[in-house]
Amino acid sequence: MSTRQHFYRSLIKLPLSLFVRSSSIPSNPVQDLNLDLTRPIVYALPFSSQTDLLTLQKSILQLGLPDPLGSIKVGDKLYPRYVFISSGPKLFNPASDLPEHTMTLFTQLLRLHQQDSELDIQVLPTTVLWGRKPGKEGNNKPHLQPLNGLQKFKAIVTSGRDCLVRISPVVSLRYMADNHGTDQAIAHKLARVARIHFSRQKLAASGPNLPDRDTQFKRLLQSKAIEKVIQDEAKARNISVEKVRKEAISIMEEIAADFSYNMVKTGSRFLGWLWNKLYQGLNINNAATVRRLAQDGHEIVYVPCHRSHMDYLLLSYVLFNEGMVPPHIAAGINLNFFPVGSIFRRGGAFFIRRSFKGNKLYSTIFREYLAELFSKGYSVEYFSEGGRSRTGRLLQAKTGMLSMTIQAMLRGLNRPVTLVPVYIGYEHVMEVSTYAKELQGKRKEKENAGQVLRTLRKLRNFGKAYVNFGEPISLNQYLNEHAPDWHESINPIEPQKPQWMSPVVNSLANKMMTHINDAAAANALTLCSTALLASRQRALSREDLERQLECYLELLRNVPYSPTATVPSSSASELIEHAIKLDKFVTEKDKLGQIISLDRQQSILMTYYRNNIIHLFALPSLIAQLVVQYQKISLKQVKEQVRKLYPFLKAELFLRYEVKDIDSMVEMHIEELVRQQLIIQKESQLELNSARLLQVNLLARTITETLQRYAIAFTHLRVSPYLDKAELEKQSQVMAQRLSRLHGINAPEFFDKGVFSTLFNTLKAEGYFDTEGQVVSEKIEDIAMDLSALVSPEVKLTIEAVMNQ
């Protein structure tokens, strides 16, 4: 290093330490980017800048990576550990192309791989971003621009606290040398690859240029679809075109977001304070997958589950702090009240009416606005359930927004569109007590400023929150597989609804919801709630609760539900201690030890948290219930009964296993239950282990209420085979309410009409009705007898008594 460089670095270290507070994305690059620290690393930066280099150095050292200002040794020679792809601009000169010394270094490093077959130098593209404010629409400057000295000084002073160090996926020089050679042309190609990384890093971090709202509205008014509907409306209502056009502008004002980076940045700081006030920690998983999609230029559509009003705030905060652009969010018009509405709008919310069926003007404008967002490259978020889940389970998806997403693709989008399912979970949902009241008949309170203030006054520690990004779904690939001719329906002017649309959207919605559940986060409260609610008295000794949690944890760890689901790393004892501190349980001590229980009100509320993860235990719980009820049962019988019941569980709980794979999954779970000594296997015979009777009973009861509900519906169909869907749902719901009162079933979803509706639809899909809509009596009788054996004698008697009235 020259004396001049050393002096300059010493000179700028002080102002950098005063003005710059950078964050690094990803925060765990070794794991997220699969870095091998035993192999040499060379950092590639876009422009020659000692300021960027020193800022990078500070972040890199905090991440535990090698010092960029060090050197790598190959053979007897030392090589620099960093390289600039461009010389960068001087005060009066623009940036130059690839510097000669960079070209020389890349060529030398590539040739070293020719000489040493074991060598693999990793090139790590890194960018230091001074602020992430997007540009204005109409600005054709490149996303990533070099800064001269004065511009850099201004950036340090104004954006030093908004500095982001982004690290891209590694480029292997071994791969380059083996597949492309080691000559000078390959060195040029390597530099081009690095430049693409840099440009994508900036675009993924700041997003596309933002539109001027007036300009955006004028552009929308000029679309042929909106112009046509305006003309049609004027003619149909016998009013002037200008009057309809004013209505159209008014609708655009009502719908459109007014995204402000300053609002997002300020909001992020406020939300950082809020989360620290509310939660003991945010657990974020699989964000690296989403970053890769953003850097690869995908149009991302986030589809989270909807537990709380906190969801959209939490997801936007997480994305911003993971180095991505917060999405434009489809929010219900009920949230557009003063002063929250304008804040949400500037944070990226666009508002949608609950229903606009029959309003052609509104529906066309909304569809065109959504297509505009996609065409300009803004990520979008919508809650496919349509509203917040009051029971803690996923609701059946509303498919309107999904249909409009595919219709936007049929306008001829150039980029791939990818759905990113998101599981959001909490150890405490602020609205959970309100949900319980609503399920008991209280009217939903309209959102208003007073409600927000009352909520803020109740701020306290709510445990942990979880944001798990699920497995992405490529819409282009999905359409290629399920509607191979979909490209023929592309029409950039008029939206199309081809015949394949409805069945494809319905199956896609089911897959989307399944991927959300795949990414579930088990935690202290959900696991403790599951165990305590399975106990008849809603109470367990500390020792029994600990053993039950150990059973759950071993099941989830040894037979993982999915690659995206997460399981706590803490021990059962640590989880219980954490759950007790959340003040949800009644804890008492006697001479024999500690008893942990739920009072009646908390029992109702805790069903919400159990329902968040009930799908994780549906299959092992059903197996346990079969063994418990039959005492001794063959493996063949277990598989047969699971195969019959699984389609109903799969439809209701969005389970991930395909029916063809269910036998192997049953075997894996039985193997784990045997390993835990919950059941005993003698050749092909399964039986209870009396020494672990409590644990296997608690596991079995997790699915008991679901089986009771099925028993109600199938008994109705067996006795009255001519019931139509509406009557079956109504009568099943009435009987479920009776059962709930008589047997102390606290779960609000036990008599939920929507659950019975899903059951009826599955009956049709699984052939329990013939082509003429008549009940197939033999199949109904068969499964009704199976279910009768799986419910308790007292529940069976109640069902029979009601049926005989």
Side-chain angles (χ1 to χ4, degrees):
M1 179 176 65
S2 68
T3 305
R4 179 183 170 191
Q5 273 187 333
H6 181 77
F7 174 76
Y8 183 69
R9 287 176 187 171
S10 301
L11 191 65
I12 63 174
K13 274 186 177 180
L14 179 60
L16 288 179
S17 66
L18 292 175
F19 291 104
V20 178
R21 293 289 183 274
S22 63
S23 56
S24 304
I25 299 296
S27 57
N28 187 357
V30 175
Q31 178 181 321
D32 286 359
L33 304 178
N34 296 316
L35 292 180
D36 185 348
L37 296 183
T38 65
R39 299 186 177 188
I41 292 175
V42 173
Y43 302 96
L45 291 88
F47 308 111
S48 177
S49 167
Q50 297 300 316
T51 302
D52 288 0
L53 184 59
L54 290 176
T55 303
L56 173 68
Q57 180 195 33
K58 184 176 180 180
S59 293
I60 286 297
L61 293 177
Q62 290 172 349
L63 295 171
L65 296 178
D67 187 350
L69 298 182
S71 56
I72 58 173
K73 186 176 183 180
V74 182
D76 297 327
K77 291 191 69 175
L78 295 175
Y79 298 89
R81 203 188 286 277
Y82 70 88
V83 62
F84 298 123
I85 300 302
S86 166
S87 62
K90 306 303 178 186
L91 190 57
F92 300 107
N93 297 311
S96 64
D97 204 353
L98 186 67
E100 186 61 35
H101 62 83
T102 299
M103 189 70 190
T104 302
L105 178 61
F106 275 161
T107 304
Q108 288 175 340
L109 294 178
L110 282 166
R111 285 176 180 166
L112 288 172
H113 288 74
Q114 197 174 35
Q115 300 163 14
D116 183 354
S117 61
E118 297 298 315
L119 181 64
D120 185 7
I121 296 175
Q122 304 167 101
V123 176
L124 207 56
T126 54
T127 313
V128 179
L129 300 175
W130 301 95
R132 291 191 270 162
K133 189 172 184 177
K136 294 288 186 181
E137 198 172 72
N139 182 357
N140 296 320
K141 293 180 181 178
H143 286 286
L144 186 63
Q145 300 178 64
L147 304 177
N148 62 36
L150 288 177
Q151 292 169 330
K152 184 60 66 73
F153 177 76
K154 181 182 177 183
I156 291 170
V157 173
T158 59
S159 303
R161 305 282 168 158
D162 191 22
C163 178
L164 184 69
V165 175
R166 281 190 64 101
I167 307 171
S168 275
V170 68
V171 177
S172 166
L173 289 191
R174 165 56 53 200
Y175 175 85
M176 295 289 291
D178 289 348
N179 290 275
H180 301 287
T182 58
D183 58 24
Q184 200 172 61
I186 302 305
H188 272 292
K189 182 174 183 178
L190 183 59
R192 288 197 301 273
V193 169
R195 282 200 182 102
I196 292 170
H197 276 297
F198 299 141
S199 179
R200 287 178 175 175
Q201 281 178 332
K202 173 62 176 174
L203 183 58
S206 62
N209 293 337
L210 295 176
D212 172 76
R213 272 167 69 88
D214 289 340
T215 305
Q216 183 183 43
F217 293 170
K218 287 176 183 176
R219 184 166 57 242
L220 285 169
L221 285 171
Q222 290 169 0
S223 79
K224 293 187 177 180
I226 291 179
E227 180 59 33
K228 182 177 184 302
V229 78
I230 287 174
Q231 297 290 340
D232 291 347
E233 283 285 306
K235 186 176 180 181
R237 291 157 55 188
N238 195 27
I239 58 176
S240 70
V241 169
E242 192 55 39
K243 187 172 182 179
V244 180
R245 191 170 281 118
K246 286 180 180 178
E247 285 182 30
I249 293 173
S250 179
I251 291 171
M252 291 175 196
E253 291 278 3
E254 176 190 307
I255 293 172
D258 189 15
F259 190 92
S260 163
Y261 175 75
N262 290 333
M263 174 62 76
V264 168
K265 188 169 68 170
T266 303
S268 177
R269 290 175 184 148
F270 169 75
L271 290 174
W273 166 84
L274 182 63
W275 305 142
N276 286 329
K277 182 86 172 172
L278 286 176
Y279 303 113
Q280 294 177 18
L282 299 181
N283 295 266
I284 301 152
N285 294 282
N286 207 25
T289 299
V290 188
R291 274 196 298 272
R292 282 193 291 272
L293 291 172
Q295 286 196 185
D296 290 344
H298 286 243
E299 173 61 41
I300 299 177
V301 180
Y302 298 96
V303 280
C305 60
H306 204 3
R307 311 274 193 224
S308 165
H309 280 315
M310 283 292 178
D311 296 343
Y312 29 82
L313 298 175
L314 182 57
L315 183 53
S316 290
Y317 173 83
V318 165
L319 290 170
F320 185 75
N321 283 274
E322 287 290 326
M324 290 172 278
V325 186
H328 280 59
I329 308 163
I333 195 67
N334 57 307
L335 294 177
N336 190 18
F337 61 87
F338 179 83
V340 173
S342 60
I343 295 173
F344 282 173
R345 198 183 294 277
R346 292 177 70 76
F350 59 97
F351 294 98
I352 178 172
R353 296 176 186 174
R354 288 297 182 190
S355 174
F356 42 87
K357 189 175 181 180
N359 190 335
K360 185 73 173 173
L361 181 63
Y362 183 91
S363 60
T364 302
I365 290 171
F366 186 86
R367 187 181 59 242
E368 290 296 300
Y369 175 74
L370 188 63
E372 161 100 349
L373 294 180
F374 288 141
S375 69
K376 296 297 181 182
Y378 306 111
S379 58
V380 171
E381 170 191 339
Y382 49 75
F383 296 96
S384 55
E385 294 168 279
R388 292 165 292 159
S389 169
R390 265 64 178 172
T391 65
R393 292 180 174 209
L394 283 188
L395 306 175
Q396 293 293 323
K398 303 282 195 304
T399 57
M401 289 294 292
L402 195 54
S403 295
M404 284 190 275
T405 299
I406 292 178
Q407 284 183 328
M409 292 179 66
L410 297 182
R411 297 173 65 86
L413 278 179
N414 294 322
R415 292 182 320 288
V417 180
T418 300
L419 297 178
V420 175
V422 188
Y423 178 94
I424 301 177
Y426 307 90
E427 288 185 327
H428 179 90
V429 172
M430 284 192 198
E431 303 97 322
V432 72
S433 58
T434 304
Y435 295 162
K437 291 173 185 175
E438 289 176 13
L439 289 166
Q440 291 166 3
K442 183 179 178 182
R443 289 188 63 184
K444 177 180 178 292
E445 184 180 351
K446 187 177 179 181
E447 286 80 2
N448 54 63
Q451 189 183 59
V452 174
L453 292 174
R454 288 196 299 274
T455 301
L456 290 175
R457 282 202 300 270
K458 296 177 184 177
L459 292 184
R460 62 191 184 101
N461 201 311
F462 288 154
K464 297 178 181 178
Y466 300 81
V467 178
N468 287 358
F469 293 97
E471 181 186 351
I473 303 171
S474 166
L475 283 192
N476 299 70
Q477 182 179 334
Y478 194 86
L479 291 180
N480 288 340
E481 293 172 357
H482 295 83
D485 300 328
W486 70 275
H487 288 94
E488 296 178 9
S489 301
I490 290 177
N491 187 324
I493 299 173
E494 287 289 341
Q496 301 296 304
K497 191 170 183 181
Q499 288 186 338
W500 53 259
M501 177 74 83
S502 291
V504 165
V505 166
N506 289 336
S507 64
L508 176 60
N510 188 69
K511 181 173 184 175
M512 179 177 72
M513 304 309 284
T514 302
H515 280 213
I516 292 174
N517 258 357
D518 287 354
N523 59 58
L525 195 66
T526 55
L527 292 169
C528 287
S529 299
T530 301
L532 289 170
L533 289 169
S535 170
R536 293 198 188 280
Q537 301 303 319
R538 311 291 189 255
L540 290 169
S541 71
R542 171 75 180 249
E543 293 75 15
D544 286 335
L545 180 57
E546 193 169 314
R547 279 192 284 269
Q548 194 61 29
L549 259 61
E550 285 170 355
C551 164
Y552 294 157
L553 291 171
E554 288 179 28
L555 266 170
L556 295 175
R557 289 168 183 166
N558 297 334
V559 191
Y561 182 77
S562 78
T564 51
T566 56
V567 184
S569 57
S570 305
S571 68
S573 177
E574 290 168 337
L575 292 174
I576 293 170
E577 201 59 47
H578 173 73
I580 289 173
K581 290 177 182 176
L582 296 175
D583 198 26
K584 308 289 184 188
F585 309 140
V586 177
T587 58
E588 303 169 278
K589 277 191 176 181
D590 59 19
K591 292 181 180 180
L592 298 177
Q594 191 177 33
I595 296 174
I596 301 171
S597 62
L598 296 168
D599 61 30
R600 177 171 175 75
Q601 181 59 26
Q602 284 292 359
S603 293
I604 296 171
L605 300 183
M606 288 302 105
T607 62
Y608 188 94
Y609 302 102
R610 178 201 60 188
N611 288 346
N612 286 181
I613 62 164
I614 191 171
H615 62 287
L616 300 181
F617 297 107
L619 190 54
S621 178
L622 177 57
I623 295 168
Q625 179 73 348
L626 285 163
V627 178
V628 166
Q629 292 300 109
Y630 284 93
Q631 301 291 306
K632 290 184 179 181
I633 186 171
S634 71
L635 178 59
K636 181 181 178 183
Q637 285 177 292
V638 170
K639 288 181 178 179
E640 285 176 354
Q641 295 218 26
V642 171
R643 279 198 298 269
K644 288 179 194 174
L645 293 169
Y646 182 73
F648 299 97
L649 293 171
K650 179 177 173 63
E652 180 180 332
L653 300 175
F654 299 103
L655 300 183
R656 75 186 307 265
Y657 312 122
E658 295 301 328
V659 175
K660 63 181 176 62
D661 301 322
I662 204 63
D663 280 3
S664 62
M665 293 309 304
V666 167
E667 290 173 2
M668 290 173 66
H669 280 96
I670 287 175
E671 184 180 334
E672 175 58 22
L673 294 177
V674 170
R675 190 198 67 78
Q676 290 192 35
Q677 300 181 347
L678 296 178
I679 60 176
I680 297 169
Q681 184 171 10
K682 295 178 179 178
E683 295 182 352
S684 61
Q685 199 78 8
L686 304 174
E687 58 185 72
L688 281 173
N689 180 3
S690 57
R692 300 293 301 276
L693 203 56
L694 177 60
Q695 278 70 49
V696 74
N697 266 297
L698 291 174
L699 177 61
R701 287 180 196 143
T702 303
I703 204 69
T704 297
E705 290 168 4
T706 302
L707 297 178
Q708 290 169 348
R709 198 184 320 109
Y710 293 170
I712 290 170
F714 278 99
T715 303
H716 268 302
L717 281 175
R718 187 177 63 177
V719 175
S720 306
Y722 301 106
L723 289 176
D724 61 15
K725 179 181 179 181
E727 196 60 29
L728 175 63
E729 290 172 8
K730 180 181 176 182
Q731 292 194 22
S732 297
Q733 189 178 25
V734 169
M735 184 184 285
Q737 287 173 323
R738 166 67 68 91
L739 224 64
S740 175
R741 291 297 299 263
L742 291 176
H743 297 280
I745 299 171
N746 294 316
E749 78 280 357
F750 185 71
F751 45 83
D752 179 39
K753 184 180 177 182
V755 176
F756 286 109
S757 177
T758 300
L759 174 62
F760 187 88
N761 292 337
T762 310
L763 283 167
K764 291 179 66 177
E766 293 299 314
Y768 287 86
F769 292 89
D770 61 23
T771 53
E772 296 178 358
Q774 301 299 311
V775 166
V776 181
S777 300
E778 300 81 8
K779 292 188 71 172
I780 292 291
E781 183 75 25
D782 181 39
I783 198 168
M785 291 296 292
D786 289 342
L787 285 164
S788 179
L790 292 179
V791 299
S792 65
E794 58 267 26
V795 168
K796 190 189 310 181
L797 286 171
T798 302
I799 294 174
E800 290 173 356
V802 174
M803 292 301 299
N804 291 329
Q805 286 181 359

